[in-house]
Amino acid sequence: MAFLTLLAASAGASMLRLSPIDLLIIAIYFVVVLAIGFYLKKFAATGEDFFLAGRKMTAWIAGLSFISANLSSLETMGWSAMAYQYGMLGAHAYLIGAIPAILFLAIVMMPFYYISKTHSVPGYLQLRYGEGARSIAGISFSVMTIAVSGASMFAMAKILNLLLGWDMNISIWVASLTVAIYVTLGGLLSAIFNEVLQFFLIWLGSLLIPILGIIHAGGWHKMLAAIQKNVAVIHPGVQNADFTTLWRNLGSFDTNPMGIDWFGMVFGLGVAVSFGYWCTDFLQVQRVIVAKDLRSAQNGTLIGAMLKMLVPLIVTIPGLLGLAVLMNGDGSLMVLVAESDPRAGITHHTFNDVLPLLMSQYLGPGLLGLGVTAMIAGFMSGMAGNVSAFATVWTFDVYKPLIRKHASDRHYLQMGRWSSVVGILVSIATAYSLFFFSNILEYLQVLVFFFIVPLFGTVILGMLWKRATPAGGFWGFLIAIIFSISMWAFVHTFPDGYRPQPKAIISQGAVVHLEKGQEGDSEQITQISVESGSVDMVNVTIPGRQQDGAFIVTDASLDLAGADVTGQMHVLAPKVVLGNTQEAHKFGLEGVPLKLQPGVRVHSSTISKRFAPAAFNPDHAKIIARSEKAKPMAVNMYSAWWSLVVCLLVTVVVSLFTKRKPDEALKNLVMGLTPRPPETACPWYEKPLLWASVILVVLVAINILFW
Amino acid sequence: MIDHQENRLSIWFFIGAMVLVYGLLISGAGVYGWMNPPAPEVRVQLWPLHADVWWGMVLLVIGLFYTLKFWPKS
């Protein structure tokens, strides 16, 4: 209970307030996961047990683990935020952006993974193409998993700090040590047990929010009507857009909030991103290749597909509810903004806060503890998944082939345990580095795109085309990774310099006077007058002054008015005093004239960057995503598509001019040279093809229903 | 009930026991809150529905089912 006292002591002003029963529920979770780790240690006695959970998982456990590894808290919070930002289009990530790929994995790819008895996806590349492709995949996967694990740790600490006021150091160390203990002791088996546990916690902790939210909104149709009415205020930049349909709004780039068309959605998300992620990300694939037999591996994957289609209930609907039911204390509509918005965290909550805000709105003592436990469990199992995948890939695809080829099983088991500990420590170091370089998160989020999509291109050609050569696989993979990184750099490059939006930040304690006027039904601020204090200005054109420097307003007041100055200027006041009432106040406004009275100190600066990872150059984005209206998600989807095309083209061209492997060396690795094991008798309801067909029909029905 | 490996407790038993305890705690907290209503300004939205009571009961039933079905046998 010691850490509970610490956590409670460090809690200050926060979005969610936990009661003792909530803390007890969280404590029980930690006790149970540690108990599972200690209990499972005796069942992880060999390398096969530790790295592959003994290859004895049933279809249900493999399927739940498969889907849980993907259902981290970053995922649930992130995709709720996407639904708030992009409307129902966010649900595509769970439909066309997942299901066809998962079915393909189950029916087409699983036999190759399973029959080749590989330990990992890089391991398959070694068998199919040789050491070159495996080394690129092994090393980049190791770096990626640790980086993502560290980022996940940092994100968890930051979110718990924002939501609950918990100290970030305590969050990082308590979560890391717990994960380190249970993964080091029980290996993949322990990670899988905790993922299945997390699956139940996430559903039981989250499902109540959409149920209560829809009751609160007055039913589904009233919720949709409220969304279409509110988005004009919440997302004024995309007023034409339809937020409540899946396909109807994808005919052109400006009728949907993502700035994408159907081609980008189908081929970018539905083919490149989705197949890359679901078919070749080892974190996912490892969960099902450890099933007890091929049919269980296939059925486990199909169970994962069915459950995946249900996830929009707890992710997309809360995001949509955020557009319909979130109100400020005074009854006005609550507007959430992007993380990059200068008002974020000062006067406005961000898109990422939509799920916690709904939790605070609907969940009382006990239920809130369950919701927070689900969130912590999601983060921790995400970390555990990355660490166990890292331990496997490091031991079998880096350490064994490159450092120590011939050693006993016991030696590799020890290496797996130690690499889990080292993985956690490096993750902690990564998390701490993010304290100082938080914009690295921008890079980490796209790391997956750089690597996973080219990996899929390489693996799928290897599986389906026996003419693909080791040189073709190596160069196709490498050039596509370089191309992918180059595209990312290209859209963030500004040859003429990137100037962030003009903003004026009024200092703490400054005295301001707000002039108000009536506009329609509501009262609006029409002018801000700063009476005393100081103002920091960035990229604001000040009439008659140099852009950089400090000065004090003398004699007459300084008016910053006119559309060219104020049209896009953000005025931020995190903590000021109102001149007429002497009350503390805070606000963030855009496009409101600002008047500075004599005596006010001004510091003005200009910022212009040639490379800005947080901003998109619309001229460059248009070349990749076919529209200057493309939002970041649309650019990512098109980038993924082009990198897949490059991977396939380079692999094919190089293969046609280089020496292929003989058929004997490709046995059990390529379609046509891999005899399927004879079908053992099973009841009709265990046949993978039947369930794959049912899932496909349900997928089509959902898309028609919400067309 | 054992899992695939001999003598190993089933994951479903762990889940059942944990959900059962959570169900007891949450429905208990809900009933307490119902009997001793908090001040209106600190109540959550839709408080009159007493979601914690019936959701706690749902957890309790699920937890009880899994705990009993996968109870370890010697």
Side-chain angles (χ1 to χ4, degrees):
Chain A
M1 294 294 278
F3 88 92
L4 274 184
T5 318
L6 281 169
L7 291 176
S10 61
S14 50
M15 200 186 295
L16 305 175
R17 296 189 72 81
L18 297 184
S19 62
I21 195 160
D22 297 317
L23 293 171
L24 179 63
I25 284 173
I26 296 168
I28 288 172
Y29 167 73
F30 277 91
V31 170
V32 170
V33 293
L34 286 173
I36 288 176
F38 280 104
Y39 175 69
L40 291 178
K41 181 174 185 287
K42 60 183 171 185
F43 299 103
T46 67
E48 181 98 339
D49 292 336
F50 187 84
F51 296 110
L52 296 170
R55 282 195 190 266
K56 284 174 180 162
M57 293 295 112
T58 61
W60 272 100
I61 292 180
L64 287 177
S65 167
F66 174 70
I67 215 65
S68 275
N70 171 253
L71 199 59
S72 72
S73 298
L74 283 180
E75 168 92 4
T76 50
M77 291 179 70
W79 280 101
S80 297
M82 293 283 181
Y84 186 91
Q85 192 177 0
Y86 299 129
M88 207 179 279
L89 288 184
H92 278 302
Y94 300 91
L95 301 169
I96 192 172
I99 305 306
I102 300 176
L103 298 184
F104 187 79
L105 171 66
I107 303 301
V108 179
M109 295 178 80
M110 192 56 69
F112 296 102
Y113 282 136
Y114 203 86
I115 294 165
S116 67
K117 290 282 174 198
T118 179
H119 281 89
S120 64
V121 175
Y124 175 82
L125 287 184
Q126 190 272 332
L127 296 171
R128 177 64 183 84
Y129 292 113
E131 282 302 339
R134 189 241 284 262
S135 297
I136 301 177
I139 293 168
S140 47
F141 185 83
S142 300
V143 172
M144 188 178 77
T145 45
I146 289 303
V148 171
S149 175
S152 181
M153 217 177 259
F154 175 77
M156 179 193 73
K158 195 174 169 191
I159 288 166
L160 293 180
N161 178 262
L162 284 172
L163 298 186
L164 304 164
W166 289 359
D167 183 88
M168 288 179 74
N169 296 301
I170 295 172
S171 297
I172 287 178
W173 283 99
V174 169
S176 311
L177 288 176
T178 310
V179 170
I181 290 170
Y182 79 71
V183 172
T184 307
L185 293 174
L188 181 62
L189 186 61
S190 197
I192 287 178
F193 262 49
N194 278 293
E195 278 160 6
V196 177
L197 185 67
Q198 172 233 343
F199 177 85
F200 277 78
L201 287 176
I202 288 226
W203 274 93
L204 294 173
S206 311
L207 187 59
L208 200 52
I209 291 171
I211 294 173
L212 292 173
I214 289 177
I215 293 172
H216 189 197
W220 177 258
H221 293 291
K222 285 194 176 166
M223 180 189 81
L224 294 184
I227 289 170
Q228 274 314 115
K229 181 172 156 242
N230 295 345
V231 289
V233 177
I234 295 173
H235 298 299
V238 284
Q239 295 223 10
N240 286 338
D242 182 351
F243 277 69
T244 58
T245 55
L246 278 177
W247 291 104
R248 215 179 307 148
N249 52 0
L250 288 177
S252 75
F253 292 98
D254 62 357
T255 50
N256 65 81
M258 206 180 273
I260 196 170
D261 63 345
W262 67 269
F263 183 91
M265 191 61 84
V266 172
F267 290 94
L269 178 68
V271 176
V273 176
S274 169
F275 279 70
Y277 184 76
W278 290 100
C279 299
T280 42
D281 185 340
F282 180 55
L283 183 62
Q284 295 301 134
V285 175
Q286 188 186 27
R287 265 74 199 140
V288 275
I289 60 174
V290 299
K292 60 182 179 178
D293 54 38
L294 175 58
R295 184 177 296 134
S296 299
Q298 291 183 298
N299 283 335
T301 312
L302 295 171
I303 289 168
M306 279 187 266
L307 297 171
K308 184 75 180 170
M309 280 194 288
L310 296 175
V311 177
L313 290 175
I314 55 168
V315 170
T316 311
I317 293 181
L320 294 175
L321 281 167
L323 295 166
V325 300
L326 281 180
M327 299 290 161
N328 293 310
D330 61 1
S332 62
L333 189 64
M334 185 182 284
V335 175
L336 310 185
V337 296
E339 293 282 350
S340 56
D341 191 297
R343 298 167 295 174
I346 299 174
T347 53
H348 287 62
H349 289 294
T350 67
F351 298 149
N352 290 329
D353 294 333
V354 65
L355 200 54
L357 283 167
L358 290 166
M359 283 166 66
S360 71
Q361 182 160 306
Y362 296 124
L363 305 183
L367 285 176
L368 191 56
L370 183 60
V372 173
T373 304
M375 199 179 279
I376 295 172
F379 276 118
M380 284 182 27
S381 77
M383 275 183 244
N386 278 303
V387 168
S388 63
F390 165 78
T392 308
V393 171
W394 165 261
T395 306
F396 284 102
D397 297 311
V398 180
Y399 180 76
K400 192 173 177 182
L402 302 178
I403 299 170
R404 190 160 174 189
K405 281 192 173 137
H406 306 290
S408 64
D409 181 67
R410 187 176 166 71
H411 176 83
Y412 293 124
L413 172 63
Q414 287 304 325
M415 176 49 63
R417 288 212 155 104
W418 280 110
S419 56
S420 302
V421 174
V422 171
I424 289 273
L425 291 175
V426 179
S427 299
I428 292 173
T430 310
Y432 274 102
S433 72
L434 293 173
F435 274 88
F436 304 102
F437 307 103
S438 61
N439 58 351
I440 291 176
L441 274 176
E442 301 279 346
Y443 301 79
L444 288 178
Q445 280 163 2
V446 288
L447 202 61
V448 175
F449 286 99
F450 296 160
F451 168 70
I452 287 296
V453 176
L455 178 62
F456 170 70
T458 308
V459 169
I460 197 65
L461 272 182
M463 281 184 176
L464 302 183
W465 191 43
K466 64 182 181 181
R467 183 70 185 80
T469 64
F474 176 80
W475 288 110
F477 190 25
L478 185 63
I479 290 174
I481 290 176
I482 295 169
F483 184 75
S484 188
I485 294 170
S486 306
M487 268 190 299
W488 177 78
F490 180 64
V491 291
H492 295 293
T493 302
F494 296 79
D496 301 326
Y498 166 70
R499 287 167 64 92
Q501 200 167 0
K503 66 178 173 185
I505 305 166
I506 304 172
S507 67
Q508 187 173 333
V511 177
V512 300
H513 178 75
L514 303 177
E515 286 181 22
K516 296 181 180 175
Q518 205 68 23
E519 191 173 301
D521 296 339
S522 60
E523 197 177 48
Q524 303 248 325
I525 294 172
T526 54
Q527 181 165 307
I528 304 156
S529 173
V530 182
E531 317 273 328
S532 68
S534 63
V535 180
D536 251 327
M537 301 218 186
V538 179
N539 291 347
V540 178
T541 309
I542 304 173
R545 293 275 179 181
Q546 283 200 333
Q547 288 308 296
D548 295 299
F551 62 92
I552 296 176
V553 179
T554 51
D555 305 330
S557 60
L558 176 62
D559 268 321
L560 296 171
D564 54 332
V565 179
T566 62
Q568 295 183 337
M569 182 172 70
H570 277 126
V571 182
L572 305 171
K575 198 171 182 182
V576 291
V577 176
L578 292 178
N580 47 352
T581 61
Q582 296 301 307
E583 284 174 357
H585 194 60
K586 64 177 183 176
F587 57 85
L589 297 164
E590 186 179 355
V592 176
L594 180 65
K595 185 186 262 189
L596 308 180
Q597 298 298 345
V600 171
R601 291 184 304 281
V602 177
H603 180 263
S604 171
S605 58
T606 44
I607 295 175
S608 178
K609 301 173 187 169
R610 290 178 69 82
F611 182 73
F616 278 72
N617 182 338
D619 294 334
H620 291 186
K622 184 181 179 182
I623 296 170
I624 291 169
R626 301 172 58 223
S627 167
E628 69 273 10
K629 292 185 174 163
K631 295 284 186 290
M633 185 55 66
V635 176
N636 286 340
M637 287 177 190
Y638 265 102
S639 300
W641 168 246
W642 298 129
S643 79
L644 178 63
V645 169
V646 165
C647 177
L648 296 177
L649 277 177
V650 173
T651 308
V652 168
V653 171
V654 175
S655 293
L656 291 175
F657 293 98
T658 49
K659 192 179 172 202
R660 55 164 295 198
K661 277 183 160 184
D663 281 3
E664 303 81 66
L666 298 176
K667 198 161 176 276
N668 290 343
L669 297 170
V670 184
M671 185 171 270
L673 299 172
T674 306
R676 283 183 70 99
E679 284 274 327
T680 51
C682 71
W684 63 269
Y685 54 81
E686 284 186 13
K687 291 193 184 297
L689 259 180
L690 167 78
W691 287 112
S693 311
V694 170
I695 292 166
L696 208 54
V697 170
V698 174
L699 174 69
V700 171
I702 291 174
N703 279 280
I704 292 172
L705 194 61
F706 296 100
W707 186 266
Chain B
M1 178 159 178
I2 55 172
D3 214 343
H4 334 290
Q5 283 201 349
E6 283 178 26
N7 303 324
R8 192 170 75 200
L9 288 175
S10 168
I11 175 64
W12 309 114
F13 171 71
F14 283 104
I15 290 168
M18 191 168 170
V19 173
L20 176 65
V21 173
Y22 280 174
L24 282 169
L25 288 172
I26 291 169
S27 52
V31 171
Y32 177 82
W34 200 345
M35 298 295 130
N36 305 278
E41 62 273 14
V42 295
R43 288 179 191 170
V44 291
Q45 295 267 8
L46 307 181
W47 184 82
L49 294 181
H50 301 291
D52 39 10
V53 177
W54 55 264
W55 195 250
M57 296 291 182
V58 170
L59 263 63
L60 215 146
V61 171
I62 294 172
L64 204 59
F65 171 78
Y66 277 96
T67 308
L68 294 178
K69 185 163 168 56
F70 296 96
W71 187 267
K73 290 171 188 165
S74 56

